[in-house]
Each structure stands twice: as C-alpha cells, then as structure tokens.
Amino acid sequence: MVDFRKLTRPHSRQWLTRIAAFCIALGVLCLATGCSTTARIADGDQLYTGVKKLSYHQDSVKLDPAVKDQVFEVINVKPNNPLYSPYYRTPLPVGLWVYNHIDPNAKGFKGWIYKHLSSRPVTIRRVNPKTRTEMINTLLRNNGYFTSTASYTLNTSKKNPKKASITYDVHVAAPYHIGSIRYLEATDPLGRMIDSLARDHHYLRTGSRYSLDSLNAVRIDITNTLRNRGYYFFRPEYIQYLADSVSQRSVIDLQLVMSPDVPNQAERHYVTGAITTTVMPSGGPTGNTDTITTTRMTIVRHEPVRLRNSIVNGNVLARTGRPFRVGNLDRTQLALSRTGIFSSIDMQATPRDTVMPNGDGIIDLDVLAVVDKPWEVKLEVQGTSKSNSFIGPALQLGLGHKNLFGGGERLNLNLNGSYEWQTGKGSSIKNSDFNSYEVGLEATLAVPRLLAPRFVDRSRRYLNWTRFNLKGNLLNRPNFFKMLQLGGGMTWEWHANKHSLNEFTPFQLTYNKLLNFTDTFAVALIENPALMMSFTDVFIPKMEYTYTYDNEFGPNHLTWRSTVSEAGHIFAGLWHLVGRGDRKTMMGTPFSQFVKAETQLVWTRRLSEASKLVGRIYVGAAVSTTDSLDVPYREQFYIGGANSVRAFTVRTIGPGSYHPVMRSVYDYFDQTGTFKFETNWEYRFPILGYFKGAVFVDAGNIWLLKTDNYDDEYRPGGKLRMKNFFKELAVGTGLGIRFDMDMLVVRADLGIGLHAPYDTGRSGWYNIPRFKDGLALHLAIGYPF
C-alpha cells in the first residue's frame, strides 16, 4: 500500500510526476503500437478474454430461472480488466501491459510499477472450461435435468492465436418430477412429528420438479422445527431418502427413512432444567460474588457490576420446565447483544445424565455475560457532504455512556463544528459568499424500552427505544445572517416485524431565532414578504410519525420511508382550553402552524455481482395553516445539488418556472418551495478495484402550494399547476466515478443539463443555451441515495 503522506513530501513529489508520466506514456505507446498482452503466455495456453456467449437450447422445455442463475455463477469467471463480467472488458489492459513488458525482478521505479500495477493473466488453463461444463452437468442432474448436457467451444482470436473466448452451450431436456411419496408411517412421537412436517412441506408434492437442493432443504426445515420443539440433538442427516427412477419414465418415487445409526440422544425430547446467568465486569472475575435466585433463573454477579437484574430476566428467554428450544438460544444471544451493555456473551447447554419418568431428558443452560466498559469517547475529524451541496471539514467530539442507570440506557453528548463551502456549477455570485460555519451541541438519552401505552403494537423480538434529546445549533452564513435553533423532544421507536420500523415523536419543540442579518439580506426580506415570513422568529411545536419498510427479495431491495408531521394545531387547541383564546404566541413569540408529508421509495435491482440499477422517487408537501406565518424556512423544500438533480447547483431552480432575471446575492434563499417532486435513476458498475462508475438521470422541481398575491408578484410561475407539471421538471443526466472502500465512499459526479424549467431564451425541450452552461461538478462523500 502506498503511504500518501510520504508522497506529499517535496522530494517524493517527483515520484508522483514520474508515475503519472510513465502511465501516460505507456498508455499512448501501447495504443499506438499495439503492445502485446500475451508475450508471457506459456505455449499451449491462451489468454482468456471472457465468455462470448452462453446459449440455452431449450426447444419446448424451459430451464428454471433459478437454475439459470446457478449456471451463470459457474461460468462467471472475470477476465483481466473486466467491465461487465464475464462478457466485456475495458479497452485499456494496463495491468497486462505492465506484466508482459516489465521485468518482474526489476528494481527501483520499474520494480515499484510492476509490484503495484501488474496483473497476472487469466488464462484458459486457469479457467478450465472442461471442468466448468462438468460442474454444469452435475448442477443440471441435481436439479432434475438428468438427460441435459453442457458443452463449450474455444473461440481463438484470428488476430492473435494466444487469445480465446469461450462459448458455452446448454442443451436442456425435460426434467424428472417427483412421483409417489412414502413416509415413515412411524408410531413413536418423533416419527409422527417428522411425518406430519414432511406432509405439510410445500416442496414434497407429487409433480414437483426433482431437486437435490430442495430435498436437502426439506430435511433442514424439519430438523429446525424439531430442535425448536425439544429435540435438541437431532440432525438433518438422520433423515434419508430412497429414490426409484426405474418404475416410471422421467418420474422419481421417494421414500423417507430414518438413518440406521441415529443415537438415542437425538431421539429424546428435552426440557429446560436449571438456568444460571453469570455476570462479570470487563476486568474479569472478582472474589466478591452475589447470588440472586429469581423465579426464572439464578443470577451470579461478580461485583462490582452496574446492572439491573431485570435486564437479565427480560432477555434470557429460556424457561425452566418448558421444551428446550434452540431458537431461544439465538434470540437470547441477539437480545443481550442489542442492549449494548455486554462485550461478550457465551451460552453452554449441558444435558444431565438423569432422565425424567416420562422419558424426557433435561438440559441445563449456563449464560456468561461480560459487562463492557461503560464510557466511550469519540473524536472524529472528517470531510462532510450534505444534501445541499455544501462540503467541508468537520470536527465531532462525542462522550457516551452505554449503561447510565444499569438498564442499558445510553447517554450521548456530541459537540460538533463544521466549515462548509458550496460545490457545483456557480453563478455570478462568488462562492465565498456562501461559505458558512455551523456549531452544535446535542444531548440524547436513549432508553431500551418503549415508554408508551400498551396498545402500541410492538414485537418483543426486537429492541424498542424511547429517546429524549436536547440540542442547540448556531448557523452562520457570512454576508447574510446568523440563526440560532434550540430544540428538544421525545421519540418512540419500535418494530412491528423485521421489515417495519415505526418512529413517533409525540412532542418536539423547536425555537428558531434570527440573531442578526446584514443590510443586504434585510433588503431581500423587505422586497420579498414570503422570504420574510419564513425567517420570522418562531416556536415550532411539532408531532411527527415516520414509517420505514425495508425488504430484500431475490435480486431486489426495496426501501419505503414516509413521514407525516403537524406543527402547532394540537398546541393551539391546548392554548384555547387554558383560556388563551386565539392568541397564537408563547412568551411573546408566535408559534408556527403547518402540516407536512414526505414519502420516498428507493428500489435497487442487482444486475450482476457488482452492477446494479437504483431508482428513487420522492414526493413532499408542506402547507401553512396561518395567514401571518409561512412554513418555517428550515421546513421548506429545495432542490439541486450533489444528492438531488445533479445538473443544477442547490437552490438554483424553482419554484416552478420562476427564475430571477438577474442573479443576486439573496436569490439562493428565495428558491425554496412547499411542494417537491424528484426522481433519480442510476446505473452503477465496477471499473477497476475500488473504483466504480455510474450513469444517471435526474428530474425534479419544487413549487408553491399556497400562494397569495405577493407570491405571484415576486416569484411568478412558482405556483403548482398540473398542466405545467412535466414542462417545469428540471432534467439532467451525467457520469460519476466513485472510490468505494465499503466503509468510505468518495464520489465525483458530472451533471449535464438537458432541460431547465425556466425560459432560457432557447426553444425546444433541450433548452440549455450552451453545453458548458449545463455542466455541474459535485464532490461528495457517500452515495446520493
């Protein structure tokens, strides 16, 4: 790995220059002279250039799509410099050029180049297509296609006989199906249970296509159920199949039998005996122990530990006298881990030698939980990228306690500061006018219980939270304004099932105050009443509900997130009840009243191992219900930037077809709206190593839902009108490159404008005056969605 810190030293910058010059020279030379990529290929071998074609000869028989996927996995061997494996390659095989034309024993600069850039050729001998066709044949037989066959053909290059691609042909014949099924017909409890589970299984049906994997899955499903009903030592291999493929053509009759060597332990039903949970501090066992006997278990505490006994009682799910279920062990491990209190958890199941009068065995359960160190300090220095296209360095100092009151309560104190500047296509305004800093302090207390009414539907399988928070934030926009925001609230977070997450904030109070502003910004406020109303000092008493659905099925991943919030209405009702009448102020400051709804759908389709298609649709609306106040500035929508319509800088489009005739320093704050629609589609693909590429199309805009006369005068064309909806969508496309190390993604996106929603002086749908006017470059951290 290259140490980039060393490369930034003055005497090492020459190396960077030399490397860049070498790579450029090598590329130009090889393109001009046709550098060989096969010079070091051994005689009798060839460079593998990928799969030319995978053909299925099916006639009237169609191969099951799931089996096709398995066949593709067998033949999917990446060639050198793959673009879309295994079919296409990138046109610049730098690694092969270096491998073939630099001595591997070279020293100095050339040795460094060889070590870091060379790529060993992927050859036909390494791919071994003969073995792969045999694997396909085995795969076909295991899935019931017994008379189907696979073959391959080498396609030797006419220009260079040292290169070859591979064509695979799969001839598909009619598959075998399951005929009659004979069960154990046993009289003992275990045998009857196996028969019942086998008869109810969706696969074991006459007419099902024979599949060895499916038959193994039946055994595993039956075993998992048995182990969750007390047969802890049962294993899948104890169930066997006898197959008869001779009696009928293309039909396999099955018979379930028990293995002749099933141990007595596997046939015995077990119940839970004594449960002992040992809790010790992170430093290891101490001499001082305290033993507590509860109705559920015995708890052995190695003092000093800060832990309420209810945490152990509530999260160890096994119960004495009930069937010993393996699922309870998994859920106990998960439940104790989710509390965040323990650094390690170990469970030991020990069968007793004695047997109960009814023949049941007894298993004692021992749980060892080591309490983690409670305090943690976090210091992060990082680069930030926000959805409004501001990037810059940030510092975050965090202090946290994992177990504040002994019940897994988490206290986090975070102090953060950042300095940001805007990226993307600029305007006549200098970027320095938009540089800003932000300082914030937030305290959060998270309780791992839902402190809510019992009627709230929740799942005990998941950890539910009640969160309290207080925060303060100071935002400074040089040459414009300085704004203070204070707030606090409570949120319930719970799961109804593994796919659904609910978040409900019954009360959150935020106070926005404009501390000071410049004369320039004062002119903007005076000239635009809508802008003035959105910057008024205001209290925001808010209630909010968010629902998130997240599910992955096959190659698809779907995430749907919707939020509905209201501000001020319930508060106004309470104000009226206490005799305040229609006065909508608190401590002399008005409180805002509005409703807001947002929904976002993100769909991901995996196209291959490393490429995918991702689409997003977002819709949001906010409406003020008072005449004296608009929707607060921070609650309004904006569009454009690194995570939005990337062909336009943030807040340079909308609302609607509105566009200032001459750009001014406060237009940036003026271009917000109360309705937003946006859709983004992106194809992501690998390039080389950590480098990924993307091609994208974005469209969207913001509009005004509630418009009075001043809106029409100061932002003409801003009102939402369905007849103009599609014409007023800003549309852009572009290319992106990402450095993706999983834990860190740095990306650069070049947006290309196709259609601006305002009058540009050019007719037609493509109305960008000059191509360069439609370009916007954005640097960001993380994927846009």
Side-chain angles (χ1 to χ4, degrees):
M1 180 177 293
V2 182
D3 188 339
F4 288 100
R5 292 172 297 179
K6 293 181 179 179
L7 291 177
T8 58
R9 296 172 184 170
H11 69 274
S12 299
R13 291 173 185 168
Q14 298 177 3
W15 277 75
L16 289 174
T17 305
R18 293 176 66 185
I19 293 169
F22 177 85
C23 292
I24 294 173
L26 180 64
V28 173
L29 179 64
C30 288
L31 287 174
T33 63
C35 272
S36 173
T37 56
T38 58
R40 294 179 58 191
I41 299 291
D43 292 340
D45 204 355
Q46 295 171 295
L47 178 69
Y48 166 69
T49 59
V51 174
K52 182 178 182 180
K53 192 175 183 181
L54 170 60
S55 299
Y56 291 98
H57 307 276
Q58 303 178 91
D59 297 329
S60 59
V61 179
K62 300 297 182 183
L63 190 65
D64 187 279
V67 181
K68 281 188 174 182
D69 290 341
Q70 296 178 54
V71 171
F72 179 78
E73 290 300 319
V74 173
I75 63 102
N76 186 16
V77 180
K78 293 181 180 179
N80 290 96
N81 53 288
L83 176 62
Y84 179 67
S85 179
Y87 297 108
Y88 304 107
R89 302 192 302 156
T90 58
L92 299 175
V94 176
L96 286 176
W97 290 337
V98 172
Y99 179 86
N100 283 277
H101 297 284
I102 292 183
D103 185 351
N105 298 317
K107 304 295 183 182
F109 175 69
K110 286 189 175 182
W112 186 94
I113 289 291
Y114 184 88
K115 179 180 178 181
H116 290 88
L117 296 183
S118 67
S119 176
R120 182 185 176 189
V122 180
T123 64
I124 295 293
R125 183 174 296 169
R126 286 176 58 189
V127 175
N128 199 345
K130 180 179 180 181
T131 299
R132 295 190 180 276
T133 54
E134 292 173 356
M135 293 169 62
I136 295 173
N137 287 330
T138 301
L139 175 65
L140 293 170
R141 288 193 297 271
N142 289 345
N143 283 276
Y145 298 91
F146 287 97
T147 57
S148 300
T149 59
S151 60
Y152 75 94
T153 304
L154 287 181
N155 308 298
T156 301
S157 171
K158 294 180 180 180
K159 295 181 178 180
N160 186 349
K162 284 281 189 175
K163 294 181 180 181
S165 62
I166 305 174
T167 296
Y168 291 95
D169 294 281
V170 181
H171 299 267
V172 182
Y176 280 55
H177 292 82
I178 295 176
S180 63
I181 304 172
R182 295 177 59 189
Y183 299 95
L184 298 179
E185 305 297 343
T187 57
D188 60 292
L190 176 60
R192 291 198 302 270
M193 193 176 299
I194 293 174
D195 276 352
S196 175
L197 294 172
R199 292 177 190 276
D200 291 341
H201 200 280
H202 63 87
Y203 173 73
L204 281 183
R205 295 286 184 272
T206 298
S208 297
R209 176 175 55 81
Y210 175 86
S211 169
L212 184 61
D213 289 342
S214 298
L215 290 174
N216 287 332
V218 171
R219 300 196 305 175
I220 293 172
D221 290 345
I222 291 174
T223 299
N224 289 339
T225 303
L226 293 175
R227 298 189 72 203
N228 274 312
R229 294 185 180 179
Y231 294 91
Y232 179 71
F233 293 102
F234 198 86
R235 298 291 181 267
E237 55 268 24
Y238 299 153
I239 301 174
Q240 297 180 349
Y241 300 100
L242 298 180
D244 177 9
S245 60
V246 179
S247 300
Q248 300 183 64
R249 180 181 177 83
S250 299
V251 174
I252 295 181
D253 297 325
L254 293 177
Q255 180 180 357
L256 268 68
V257 296
M258 293 291 290
S259 172
D261 55 354
V262 179
N264 293 334
Q265 212 176 33
E267 295 180 320
R268 179 166 291 130
H269 181 265
Y270 286 88
V271 297
T272 305
I275 303 173
T276 303
T277 301
T278 302
V279 182
M280 65 174 58
S282 57
T286 62
N288 300 324
T289 60
D290 186 13
T291 302
I292 301 103
T293 302
T294 70
T295 56
R296 295 183 176 181
M297 68 191 71
T298 299
I299 302 175
V300 179
R301 301 167 58 105
H302 289 262
E303 301 296 348
V305 290
R306 187 181 181 84
L307 185 70
R308 290 203 297 268
N309 294 330
S310 59
I311 291 295
V312 177
N313 270 333
N315 289 292
V316 177
L317 304 179
R319 298 291 181 266
T320 299
R322 297 182 184 179
F324 192 87
R325 307 178 188 274
V326 68
N328 283 339
L329 302 184
D330 298 334
R331 288 193 290 272
T332 295
Q333 180 88 31
L334 183 60
L336 290 173
S337 298
R338 281 177 171 169
T339 63
I341 300 174
F342 306 102
S343 59
S344 66
I345 301 161
D346 182 60
M347 287 181 287
Q348 186 71 40
T350 306
R352 295 184 189 177
D353 294 333
T354 58
V355 178
M356 298 177 66
N358 63 356
D360 286 352
I362 303 173
I363 293 181
D364 295 330
L365 177 63
D366 293 285
V367 180
L368 174 62
V370 179
V371 178
D372 199 3
K373 295 179 180 179
W375 287 100
E376 59 181 4
V377 178
K378 179 175 64 176
L379 176 63
E380 293 184 4
V381 179
Q382 59 184 6
T384 63
S385 173
K386 297 187 177 181
S387 59
N388 57 7
S389 283
F390 276 84
I391 67 171
L395 173 69
Q396 183 180 79
L397 176 62
L399 178 65
H401 196 294
K402 301 178 182 178
N403 189 25
L404 186 63
F405 304 120
E409 299 84 2
R410 299 180 184 178
L411 175 66
N412 290 294
L413 302 173
N414 289 303
L415 174 65
N416 58 78
S418 64
Y419 180 80
E420 306 164 348
W421 61 87
Q422 187 185 7
T423 68
K425 179 181 62 179
S427 63
S428 60
I429 310 163
K430 295 184 299 182
N431 275 346
S432 61
D433 290 336
F434 292 101
N435 296 348
S436 69
Y437 67 81
E438 189 169 357
V439 179
L441 177 64
E442 182 174 10
T444 303
L445 175 63
V447 181
R449 293 174 292 283
L450 201 62
L451 306 178
R454 291 289 181 183
F455 60 76
V456 177
D457 184 25
R458 69 199 76 171
S459 174
R460 293 183 178 272
R461 293 188 176 185
Y462 304 94
L463 199 60
N464 304 306
W465 293 90
T466 302
R467 303 182 190 276
F468 304 90
N469 74 85
L470 292 172
K471 61 182 178 180
N473 194 74
L474 178 64
L475 174 63
N476 182 66
R477 297 289 195 211
N479 302 322
F480 295 100
F481 66 85
K482 184 180 293 183
M483 177 179 283
L484 175 67
Q485 184 180 73
L486 301 174
M490 179 183 74
T491 299
W492 296 323
E493 180 183 303
W494 74 97
H495 290 265
N497 53 60
K498 66 179 181 179
H499 301 301
S500 299
L501 173 65
N502 301 273
E503 298 170 80
F504 178 57
T505 302
F507 182 73
Q508 176 180 302
L509 183 63
T510 303
Y511 174 58
N512 288 343
K513 182 172 180 59
L514 196 61
L515 295 178
N516 55 59
F517 48 87
T518 63
D519 293 340
T520 300
F521 194 65
V523 172
L525 296 178
I526 294 172
E527 292 183 352
N528 193 328
L531 190 63
M532 178 179 290
M533 290 172 63
S534 64
F535 272 90
T536 300
D537 294 350
V538 67
F539 281 101
I540 307 175
K542 191 175 180 182
M543 179 183 293
E544 185 173 271
Y545 172 73
T546 299
Y547 174 77
T548 303
Y549 176 82
D550 190 289
N551 195 7
E552 189 167 355
F553 43 96
N556 300 290
H557 186 190
L558 184 69
T559 302
W560 175 47
R561 182 179 176 88
S562 293
T563 299
V564 178
S565 58
E566 74 82 29
H569 301 90
I570 296 178
F571 200 80
L574 295 175
W575 229 232
H576 185 77
L577 289 177
V578 298
R580 295 296 298 271
D582 294 329
R583 295 176 61 187
K584 298 178 180 179
T585 61
M586 184 168 58
M587 294 184 292
T589 300
F591 57 84
S592 181
Q593 288 184 260
F594 64 88
V595 291
K596 185 178 181 181
E598 303 168 80
T599 186
Q600 175 178 277
L601 184 68
V602 178
W603 170 71
T604 303
R605 170 77 178 187
R606 189 175 65 254
L607 302 177
S608 67
E609 181 182 357
S611 64
K612 61 184 66 173
L613 176 66
V614 186
R616 177 179 71 157
I617 297 176
Y618 174 95
V619 180
V623 178
S624 173
T625 56
T626 61
D627 295 330
S628 59
L629 290 174
D630 200 355
V631 176
Y633 179 73
R634 288 204 173 198
E635 296 287 346
Q636 294 189 27
F637 303 105
Y638 53 84
I639 200 164
N643 295 339
S644 184
V645 183
R646 283 161 280 185
F648 300 87
T649 301
V650 64
R651 292 190 178 99
T652 57
I653 50 176
S657 61
Y658 166 72
H659 190 65
V661 178
M662 296 182 63
R663 299 297 297 179
S664 64
V665 293
Y666 55 82
D667 289 329
Y668 173 85
F669 304 103
D670 192 35
Q671 296 192 257
T672 60
T674 50
F675 182 85
K676 178 179 178 178
F677 173 82
E678 183 179 330
T679 182
N680 314 84
W681 295 88
E682 185 168 286
Y683 171 59
R684 300 169 183 171
F685 54 89
I687 296 178
L688 180 64
Y690 290 127
F691 287 96
K692 316 290 183 183
V695 178
F696 56 83
V697 177
D698 305 319
N701 204 344
I702 53 171
W703 290 267
L704 302 173
L705 285 180
K706 182 182 178 181
T707 56
D708 297 323
N709 292 331
Y710 59 75
D711 290 313
D712 295 334
E713 178 181 353
Y714 290 99
R715 290 186 286 183
K719 187 174 182 178
L720 176 64
R721 293 180 174 87
M722 292 309 299
K723 66 178 182 179
N724 298 329
F725 180 80
F726 292 103
K727 184 172 65 174
E728 293 178 353
L729 286 178
V731 182
T733 185
L735 305 171
I737 187 168
R738 290 88 197 273
F739 185 73
D740 185 353
M741 297 179 62
D742 292 332
M743 63 179 180
L744 175 66
V745 177
V746 180
R747 64 182 169 93
D749 287 334
L750 177 64
I752 304 171
L754 298 178
H755 177 76
Y758 48 83
D759 182 11
T760 64
R762 178 171 178 171
S763 61
W765 185 79
Y766 178 78
N767 62 354
I768 307 299
R770 294 177 300 177
F771 180 76
K772 69 176 184 177
D773 294 338
L775 299 180
L777 178 63
H778 298 282
L779 302 176
I781 296 175
Y783 283 102
F785 48 87

